[in-house]
Amino acid sequence: HMLSCDADKVIILWETATGRKIYVFAGHAASVTAVRFTHDGKGFVSASDDQTVRYWPFDKKVFLSGTYFEEEIEKQFKAMPELQHGWAGYAPLYDDMIKEAAKDKVKRSIGWMTRIKPLILQSGRIILPLYSDGYNLSICAISDDDGETWKASKPIVGRGPIQPALAVRKNGDVVAYMRDSGDAPGRVHKAISKDNGESWSYTVKTDIPNEASVELLKLKDGRWAFLGNYIDDGRYRVAF
């Protein structure tokens, strides 16, 4: 790995083998003039024209290497059908706002949260669902070495799909069911990955009412169990 810095006030951690950005560190108020890894490899220090020197520890961060984030969001919003109901008049403005925010390397590096359990494939791959309230969509962290290193999937793009719950079909497809944080009526979003979580279809709404998190469980006989609130006017009922 290597670090870079310049006048844009941020520090970038790079994966040298691929040339991809892994993480963007923001916190200085002026140009960053110098960066250096610590001798123990547990972090780095930086100096800035804001007259401060900062220590940045790695121990509380999971780094996700390249995602093609901006390009995928642009492509998927372009492929999605136009809305004919609900917030149809607002949707173009919303879509453009998310696409513009996707260009911001600081915004897309922070604010990703867990909610639902990870999925472990037969190969041992761990797929950990993440979501962002800022972007109002989701992504997955992927590890093929028991969590030692991680990479990001391409984003799961739609108008409000957050907090993915994952399950595997008999044909190997990974399916994500997601809470609806978008236009009314509230319905569970669904997306499909045909490459073990690396990339996803844009989301479509199912006919399942929804206002909160959902969960999927694969039973021993191969059937799926779904847990959710199954209403679209609050969070006062749970259905299994």
Side-chain angles (χ1 to χ4, degrees), residues 24 54 56 74 93 113 169 179 217 220 233:
V24 178
R54 296 191 58 168
W56 307 77
E74 178 76 29
L93 298 176
M113 301 172 283
R169 286 176 171 169
R179 172 185 170 184
L217 297 172
K220 289 184 178 180
D233 61 351

Side-chain angles (χ1 to χ4, degrees), residues 3-186:
L3 295 164
S4 67
C5 62
D6 55 35
D8 61 3
K9 307 177 188 178
V10 300
I11 303 148
I12 301 175
L13 179 67
W14 299 84
E15 185 177 59
T16 52
T18 63
R20 294 177 179 175
K21 296 177 184 178
I22 297 177
Y23 198 83
V24 178
F25 297 84
H28 281 296
S31 299
V32 183
T33 57
V35 289
R36 182 173 180 175
F37 288 109
T38 58
H39 291 297
D40 59 12
K42 294 182 178 180
F44 66 91
V45 293
S46 63
S48 168
D49 283 340
D50 63 12
Q51 306 302 308
T52 64
V53 174
R54 296 191 58 168
Y55 170 63
W56 307 77
F58 290 148
D59 58 342
K60 295 183 179 180
K61 295 180 175 65
V62 173
F63 297 110
L64 305 179
S65 62
T67 67
Y68 306 101
F69 190 81
E70 177 185 343
E71 297 88 345
E72 185 69 6
I73 286 182
E74 178 76 29
K75 182 184 78 172
Q76 295 288 32
F77 270 120
K78 185 176 181 180
M80 289 169 58
E82 294 184 1
L83 284 180
Q84 303 298 325
H85 66 279
W87 63 353
Y90 174 66
L93 298 176
Y94 171 86
D95 295 356
D96 291 343
M97 180 178 66
I98 298 300
K99 288 187 287 186
E100 186 63 29
K103 300 175 183 178
D104 190 314
K105 57 188 176 184
V106 175
K107 288 180 180 177
R108 65 180 183 236
S109 295
I110 58 177
W112 296 96
M113 301 172 283
T114 59
R115 174 60 67 92
I116 311 301
K117 69 182 189 309
L119 174 69
I120 302 178
L121 303 182
Q122 288 186 343
S123 64
R125 166 171 284 192
I126 303 171
I127 307 177
L128 177 65
L130 305 170
Y131 75 100
S132 166
D133 282 334
Y135 285 106
N136 211 23
L137 48 77
S138 299
I139 204 167
C140 290
I142 298 172
S143 177
D144 292 310
D145 54 10
D146 296 321
E148 287 295 320
T149 60
W150 295 84
K151 62 181 179 180
S153 74
K154 291 182 178 180
I156 307 174
V157 181
R159 297 185 177 103
I162 62 173
Q163 301 169 4
L166 308 179
V168 182
R169 286 176 171 169
K170 291 180 180 179
N171 67 357
D173 291 351
V174 181
V175 179
Y177 277 42
M178 289 156 282
R179 172 185 170 184
D180 189 353
S181 184
D183 59 299

